[in-house]
Structure formats: structure tokens, C-alpha cells
């Protein structure tokens, strides 16, 4: 990206913004403030002939950006020579890990293409550009729907409830439970099912005491843990077999997605 000029709002602008955010670890280069609105800042000011190349870009919080104005960085930081040195060094550095990621991802792309299946590439910047130009809020699932060049021009999202799938695993492999010092405590039962049920199965239980829904934890006797109560399996009906995943419908409002990695 070293030769690309920064232009806000364009796809290249989004790509560069993501790159600069990553490169400067989402913090103000001058005061290291995080979790504040950050602006793309020209190290050598535009007004004085500074370019829009990524090597001339860093991040600044509103306060530092205003304080710096069109001053040269050496003037602005004349009382903080160590900060000046750090910024100048960081500006020249390419994005950490970029080289390794580049070589592995093209290899992966070629392998996938060799399968004959349709394969396309996307980037964090493109996802954000797609989502923003379609006026969609930032959520994990909307980011997923906006990946790549084949994201539809119009995405109808009204009334859609995303199904959230979380990997819960299949329990621990360890057959022997150890104490804090690593000494064996007791042996775990080898069999992971009992009366056809497994820990993690979703069940509905209609018992004389009431109706219960949820995930069970089996015991090797006919009384399984269901929420806060013990229930005999004869009252249970399995709704979903434990498959190492947890499924929930997201019904709450917009949730923040983490930065792209
Ligand atoms: Zn700052």
C-alpha cells in the first residue's frame, strides 16, 4: 500500500484507514490516547508539501491534531524528542506481520482456487466500505454479509434475526482429573453418555414439579442436572443433540464487533 494516496470516503481510503489504525495500534501517536475518536494525521503537513502516502500518515486524537495544526512535527514535538524519534521510526516501519500474512494468504488463495470452486478475496477495509456505503450498523453478522466484492448492492436486513453459533467443545479429553499441583484426584468416568443422553444436550422436561428447558449435565445415575434442579431422564425429551456448538438467536440491539484481524 506504500504508494497509495489517502482519500477519505473512497474504497482505497477505507483500506488505508484500516491499515493506519492497525499500524499505529489504534492510539494517538502523540499522547497515546486510546478509545477516543482518532483522525488520520499527516506527519509532514499537507500545507507544507507533505504527501498522502501511508509513510506520512499516523493517528492523532482531536486535541493533539488541533494543537499540532500545520506545524512541522519537529516543531510541535521540540520539547518531546523521544516521542519525535519514536514516531519517525514507526512511520518508516511496514505493518508488523504484513509480510508473513502476505506470503501465506496468496498460497492459501492459490490452493483454494485450484479446487475449482468460486473464490474471491476481500479485506477489512472493503468490508467496512461495503457496510458503511449500505448504511448498515456494525455487527458481526452484518460484517460477515458485507465481506468481499460479491456483497449484494442492496442487503435486505429488516426482520432478520441472526443465529449465533458458539463453539463449546466436546468436554475435556483428560480422563483423569488433577488437583492444583498436578496430582491425580480421581478418575473420570470413561463413558460420556448415560441412558442415551450426553452433557450439553438441549432438553425439555415435563415433570410433576414443572416444565424445564435447557442444557443438561449428565451423571452416571438417573438424575441429571438441568439448570438449578435435578431431573430424571424419563421426563426428558431431547430437543437438540450436543454437537459442540451452542445456538442462540440474537434478539438484542446492535452489538459491537471487534476490529478486523
Ligand atoms: Zn493525542
Amino acid at each position: 500500500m506504500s504508494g497509495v494516496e489517502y482519500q477519505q470516503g473512497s474504497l482505497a481510503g477505507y483500506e488505508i484507514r484500516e491499515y493506519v489504525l492497525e499500524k499505529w495500534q489504534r492510539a494517538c501517536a502523540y499522547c497515546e490516547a486510546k478509545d477516543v475518536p482518532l483522525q488520520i494525521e499527516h506527519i509532514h503537513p499537507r500545507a507544507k508539501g507533505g504527501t498522502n502516502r501511508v509513510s506520512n500518515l499516523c493517528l492523532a486524537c482531536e486535541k493533539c491534531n488541533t494543537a499540532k495544526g500545520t506545524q512541522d512535527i519537529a516543531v510541535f514535538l521540540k520539547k518531546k524528542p523521544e516521542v519525535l524519534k519514536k514516531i519517525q521510526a514507526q512511520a518508516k516501519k511496514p505493518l508488523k506481520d504484513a509480510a508473513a500474512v502476505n506470503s501465506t494468504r496468496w498460497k492459501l488463495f492459490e490452493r483454494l482456487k485450484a479446487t475449482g470452486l468460486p473464490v474471491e478475496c476481500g479485506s477489512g477495509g472493503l468490508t467496512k466500505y461495503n457496510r458503511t456505503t449500505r448504511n448498515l450498523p456494525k455487527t458481526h453478522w452484518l460484517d460477515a454479509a458485507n465481506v468481499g466484492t460479491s456483497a449484494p448492492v442492496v442487503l435486505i436486513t429488516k426482520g432478520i434475526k441472526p443465529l449465533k453459533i458458539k463453539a463449546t467443545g466436546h468436554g475435556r479429553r483428560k480422563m483423569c482429573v488433577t488437583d492444583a499441583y498436578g496430582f491425580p484426584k480421581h478418575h473420570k468416568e470413561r463413558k460420556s453418555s448415560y441412558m442415551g443422553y450426553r452433557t450439553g444436550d438441549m432438553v425439555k422436561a415435563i415433570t410433576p414439579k414443572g416444565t424445564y428447558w435447557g442444557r443438561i449435565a449428565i451423571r452416571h445415575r438417573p438424575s441429571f442436572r438441568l439448570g438449578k434442579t435435578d431431573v430424571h431422564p424419563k421426563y426428558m425429551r431431547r430437543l437438540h443433540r450436543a454437537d459442540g456448538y451452542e445456538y442462540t438467536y440474537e434478539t438484542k440491539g446492535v452489538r459491537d464487533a471487534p476490529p478486523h484481524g
Side-chain angles (χ1 to χ4, degrees):
M1 288 211 163
S2 57
V4 184
E5 294 253 308
Y6 177 65
Q7 220 190 343
Q8 193 135 28
S10 67
L11 173 57
Y14 274 85
E15 301 284 20
I16 289 165
R17 192 177 158 79
E18 284 301 300
Y19 181 95
V20 175
L21 280 166
E22 243 354 89
K23 180 174 172 181
W24 295 89
Q25 282 146 45
R26 293 168 199 268
C28 174
Y30 304 116
C31 72
E32 293 178 358
K34 279 198 165 195
D35 302 313
V36 292
L38 295 165
Q39 298 164 347
I40 300 278
E41 152 83 3
H42 293 86
I43 297 169
H44 184 53
R46 285 290 279 160
K48 292 187 174 147
T51 68
N52 270 335
R53 294 186 165 229
V54 280
S55 57
N56 190 40
L57 301 175
C58 71
L59 297 173
C61 70
E62 175 112 53
K63 226 172 100 190
C64 293
N65 201 3
T66 311
K68 182 173 176 271
T70 56
Q71 289 178 86
D72 196 84
I73 190 169
V75 178
F76 177 58
L77 293 174
K78 66 171 179 274
K79 282 178 188 156
K80 292 176 183 164
E82 60 306 329
V83 179
L84 176 66
K85 241 170 114 182
K86 203 188 78 191
I87 292 174
Q88 284 170 332
Q90 180 67 18
K92 283 192 208 119
K93 258 196 251 170
L95 183 60
K96 209 174 65 181
D97 306 329
V101 171
N102 265 333
S103 56
T104 47
R105 76 158 173 225
W106 289 117
K107 195 83 212 159
L108 178 65
F109 179 61
E110 278 159 24
R111 288 274 196 100
L112 288 169
K113 241 173 55 178
T115 63
L117 294 164
V119 180
E120 66 169 60
C121 288
S123 65
L126 177 60
T127 302
K128 200 166 180 180
Y129 175 80
N130 284 345
R131 182 171 50 72
T132 312
T133 51
R134 286 161 179 78
N135 280 316
L136 296 166
K138 182 169 179 57
T139 62
H140 283 297
W141 75 276
L142 282 173
D143 266 352
N146 280 289
V147 165
T149 45
S150 64
V153 178
V154 179
L155 269 168
I156 300 156
T157 58
K158 222 181 155 187
I160 292 176
K161 274 191 217 155
L163 175 66
K164 275 177 65 185
I165 305 170
K166 186 178 157 196
T168 53
H170 290 278
R172 278 182 286 181
R173 295 261 159 229
K174 257 193 341 191
M175 294 313 291
C176 184
V177 180
T178 50
D179 66 14
Y181 306 98
F183 288 105
K185 252 178 12 190
H186 58 87
H187 236 70
K188 235 163 84 175
E189 293 278 353
R190 193 159 283 271
K191 263 184 77 181
S192 57
S193 68
Y194 191 82
M195 293 178 73
Y197 285 95
R198 279 172 176 275
T199 292
D201 284 351
M202 288 287 293
V203 301
K204 183 184 182 183
I206 302 168
T207 77
K209 281 190 255 165
T211 304
Y212 304 93
W213 301 77
R215 206 165 280 277
I216 49 159
I218 63 154
R219 297 205 190 93
H220 292 269
R221 55 187 144 95
S223 130
F224 300 159
R225 201 86 193 132
L226 175 57
K228 287 189 174 103
T229 56
D230 281 7
V231 178
H232 192 285
K234 73 181 173 195
Y235 298 120
M236 289 180 183
R237 192 162 63 85
R238 183 167 36 226
L239 303 171
H240 180 79
R241 199 178 284 276
D243 60 356
Y245 295 94
E246 190 184 290
Y247 305 87
T248 46
Y249 277 105
E250 175 124 11
T251 47
K252 273 176 269 160
V254 174
R255 287 181 53 178
D256 252 3
H260 288 283

